[in-house]
Structures are given as C-alpha cells and as structure tokens.
Amino acid sequence: MIIQLNNSVTENQHSALINKLTENKFSINEVNTQLEKYLVCIGKNEIDIREIGHLPGIKDVHIVSDSYKLVSKKWKVKDTSIDLGNNVIIGKEDPTIMAGPCSVESEEQIDKIIEHLIDQDIKIIRGGVFKPRSSPYAFRGLGIDGLKMMYEKCKPHNIKIITEVMQVSQIEEMLPFVDVFQVGARNSQNFNLLDALGEIDKPVLLKRGVSGTIEELLSSAEYVFSKGNEKLILCERGIRTFETAYRNTFDINAIQVLKEKTHLPVIADPSHGVGIRSFVPKLALSALLSGADGIIYEVHDKPEEAFSDGQQTLNFMESAKLIEKIKLLYRSSIFN
Ligand code: PEP
Ligand code: MN
C-alpha cells in the first residue's frame, strides 16, 4: 500500500497515522522524494483503506499488488516525464534522442560530435568516461577529466550530458557535470550504487541487466525511488540469450510490457541491443514504434577508429539518416 501524504502534514497527524499502521502490523517505509512524501506499507493484514484515507494529512491511498510499488503504474496511471531544463523533457510526446560516442576520447572527437548533434537538433549527448569493459586491458575511459572536458564543451550549447557512473565514490565528483546518471547493465543490481543514487537530486537512467528480468529492472528502479529520487528513466538494451549471431537479444517486447507496468519513461538502446551497426537504425525505429519514449545510440565521426564499440556505432551520415526517418515517422499519422 502506498500512502501519499500532504507535503504540509503535521507531526501529530504523521504520528497518528504511524500508530494506526503499526497497530495493523504494517512495516512502514518512509519515502521523501524531491516532490512528494510517501509511506510504503507492507503487511499481510487486509485493511479497509477508508479507515486510513479519511485521516488528516493524507493526500491519497493506493493498494498496489506488484512487488515493486512506487514505480508501478497501478497507482500512477499518468506517465512521468523528466525535465532536464532548457525545454529538454524526457517522456513527453516528442521522442527523446540521446546520441554520442561509446567512450569520450578526445577534445577533437567531442567537438565533431557536438557539431553533428547541433546539426541534427539532438539535445542530449551520451559518452562514457568510466567504462565497464569485459577485458581489463581494454580502454577504460578518460575518467573525471574527460567528463569535465565534455561538460565545458557542451555547456555553451545547452547540450545535456548522460554518462555512466560505476561506483558510489564517483557520484559526488561527477554531480556538477552530469544531467543524467547512467547505471550500466553490469551495475543494474548494484544495490549500494542504487541506494546512493536515490539520495541525490539528478535523474538516473537505469539499464536492464545483461541477464535481468523486467521485474528485476523495476525492482532496481524501486531501490532508487524508495531512497528519495523519483527522477528515473528505464532503458532496454538487450539481454543475453542462447543466440550468438549478434551481441545481445534486444527484447522488443520489454518496451510494451514496461510501458504497461510502470509510469516511468522507457528508452531503447539499439546500439548495445544488437551490436551490429547496419541493424541499429531499423531497431531504433522499431523500438519507437513499440512505444519507447526515446532512443540512446552510439555515433562517432570515424566508428572504425572508435576506442570502444565501433562495430555498433553509426557514422554521421547514418545517424543523420536515422534522425530523418524518425522525423518522418512522427510526422506520419502512425502515432495518432
Ligand atoms: C554503454 O552505454 O556504453 C554501455 C556500456 O552500456 P551497457 O551498460 O548497456 O552495456
Ligand atoms: Mn558502448
């Protein structure tokens, strides 16, 4: 059960409510986010919500049968949107496009990519500076200096930055330079990291784990929300299956399932989803047709020279063609 409190709830009203819930043997999780105050109550006893709903200090009471609560669509039917400022809103009618290199490599590279993003009217750059790599000998990113460099270059153009955070100790130093923290597939169930991201006031894009179920993704999102950060975005990026003909199996079903189960925005990552450059554009379009709120994809001026994931990275021409097709798609009557 989720009890939404009035933001002006008094101490007396609050303790009367806690007493009532304790009497009824509920365990109570207090959640204070940037926007709202909630009590997430877990209990075996049935309770007539009218007994609680009339108490002073309460805005609303919702029974949620899912194991995850705050991220469930069962209590919040209206989709959530995340405002990054300067009119960049994730989860509105227009699809969100995030594009950039797998890894931030150099000033020259970022200059060229920014120019491409501006040409294509793309408002959010992606680019990792802390890279999770399967081999310890592969390029592992430029670190915080790379992020600062990217920030200085993006700032004059109001380009927002999404980048991966790999561990709790990086959050604080990254905070001023990041618009959206990305939690990578390998960290999708790093509960300490999720807890820590719950304590900041910056949006978090949470990727589905390499072998993660949809329910596990939603439960991970619940970790962040229940610690106080409700600015959350989910990302389908493909899962590991028995298939070896491509890097990952993009789970197109997950888009519709997630949109039905949660009010959070859902973004698709076709680059990691298939891992083969020539397949990325059609997969991106398919994900949007399936109801994704946007896409995140890898682009580079010379993908064949990229420090990481070049095989799945679009060049500028391919990226421009994709954007053109997305525009055509949204201009058509297909979404009406
Ligand atoms: C990435 O976005 O470059 C990345 C490493 O993604 P994932 O965590 O989905 O593998
Ligand atoms: Mn990558």
Side-chain angles (χ1 to χ4, degrees):
M1 175 170 62
I2 298 174
I3 302 176
Q4 261 180 297
L5 302 175
N6 285 328
N7 282 332
S8 58
V9 63
T10 66
E11 239 171 77
N12 284 346
Q13 292 168 342
H14 187 270
S15 47
L17 182 57
I18 298 289
N19 288 342
K20 178 93 185 156
L21 292 163
T22 318
E23 265 168 35
N24 283 279
K25 303 212 162 35
F26 280 99
S27 79
I28 306 157
N29 302 271
E30 298 237 18
V31 177
N32 298 321
T33 71
Q34 305 95 337
L35 307 171
E36 297 273 350
K37 292 182 197 291
Y38 310 89
L39 299 178
V40 181
C41 307
I42 311 293
K44 289 199 186 81
N45 292 354
E46 288 285 318
I47 188 164
D48 183 344
I49 59 172
R50 284 169 301 186
E51 273 185 48
I52 293 175
H54 74 276
L55 293 174
I58 291 183
K59 198 188 271 183
D60 218 338
V61 182
H62 316 269
I63 301 288
V64 179
S65 54
D66 297 321
S67 59
Y68 46 86
K69 307 286 178 198
L70 294 159
V71 304
S72 171
K73 204 163 192 161
K74 295 232 167 83
W75 74 276
K76 187 168 184 258
V77 183
K78 191 172 171 287
D79 285 336
T80 293
S81 54
I82 313 284
D83 193 343
L84 303 186
N86 303 104
N87 244 346
V88 182
I89 303 173
I90 302 172
K92 272 271 173 96
E93 302 86 65
D94 291 337
T96 297
I97 312 289
M98 309 175 183
C102 179
S103 302
V104 176
E105 298 168 6
S106 66
E107 290 199 32
E108 301 70 50
Q109 175 220 31
I110 293 300
D111 284 337
K112 285 183 186 144
I113 288 172
I114 287 178
E115 204 176 308
H116 173 69
L117 299 189
I118 293 170
D119 277 352
Q120 298 304 320
D121 202 23
I122 297 172
K123 306 276 186 346
I124 307 174
I125 191 169
R126 60 142 293 146
V129 294
F130 298 110
K131 296 301 301 176
R133 303 305 302 276
S134 301
S135 164
Y137 308 118
F139 177 64
R140 293 170 70 178
L142 294 182
I144 193 71
D145 291 338
L147 177 58
K148 287 181 185 164
M149 178 273 285
M150 177 158 70
Y151 173 79
E152 290 306 330
K153 293 194 173 287
C154 289
K155 203 166 117 185
H157 306 289
N158 282 328
I159 291 179
K160 308 295 176 190
I161 294 176
I162 173 168
T163 192
E164 177 161 355
V165 57
M166 285 181 62
Q167 56 186 34
V168 175
S169 60
Q170 291 163 348
I171 297 174
E172 203 177 314
E173 58 175 359
M174 292 173 76
L175 202 63
F177 312 108
V178 169
D179 295 287
V180 181
F181 279 102
Q182 174 177 321
V183 175
R186 292 154 192 83
N187 263 321
S188 195
Q189 285 192 310
N190 179 338
F191 301 120
N192 291 331
L193 182 61
L194 299 175
D195 276 344
L197 290 167
E199 282 166 12
I200 59 167
D201 185 15
K202 274 275 162 88
V204 173
L205 176 139
L206 184 56
K207 287 197 167 194
R208 181 174 180 183
V210 177
S211 300
T213 65
I214 289 172
E215 174 138 354
E216 283 166 341
L217 175 62
L218 291 164
S219 302
S220 291
E222 187 81 11
Y223 263 85
V224 182
F225 201 140
S226 64
K227 281 284 175 186
N229 186 357
E230 58 180 283
K231 296 180 181 170
L232 275 164
I233 304 143
L234 302 180
C235 180
E236 164 60 38
R237 49 77 74 201
I239 47 174
R240 175 157 300 178
T241 68
F242 52 80
E243 186 52 72
T244 55
Y246 35 80
R247 185 177 181 186
N248 289 303
T249 299
F250 184 84
D251 180 5
I252 196 96
N253 297 341
I255 307 283
Q256 291 186 78
V257 173
L258 284 168
K259 291 299 294 178
E260 192 173 88
K261 288 185 181 294
T262 179
H263 53 85
L264 299 174
V266 177
I267 298 289
D269 176 348
S271 306
H272 295 86
V274 62
I276 301 168
R277 185 186 311 157
S278 58
F279 296 162
V280 168
K282 281 186 179 150
L283 187 52
L285 295 166
S286 312
L288 291 170
L289 273 168
S290 288
D293 296 290
I295 50 170
I296 181 166
Y297 67 91
E298 291 178 337
V299 64
H300 193 289
D301 62 310
K302 289 196 188 110
E304 43 301 319
E305 290 175 21
F307 290 7
S308 57
D309 284 353
Q311 82 291 343
Q312 65 191 30
T313 299
L314 302 187
N315 62 33
F316 290 168
M317 218 167 68
E318 292 162 332
S319 166
K321 265 194 197 158
L322 172 59
I323 296 299
E324 186 53 37
K325 287 196 175 140
I326 292 171
K327 284 186 187 148
L328 280 172
L329 187 65
Y330 278 78
R331 255 185 254 132
S332 74
S333 54
I334 215 149
F335 283 104
N336 302 324

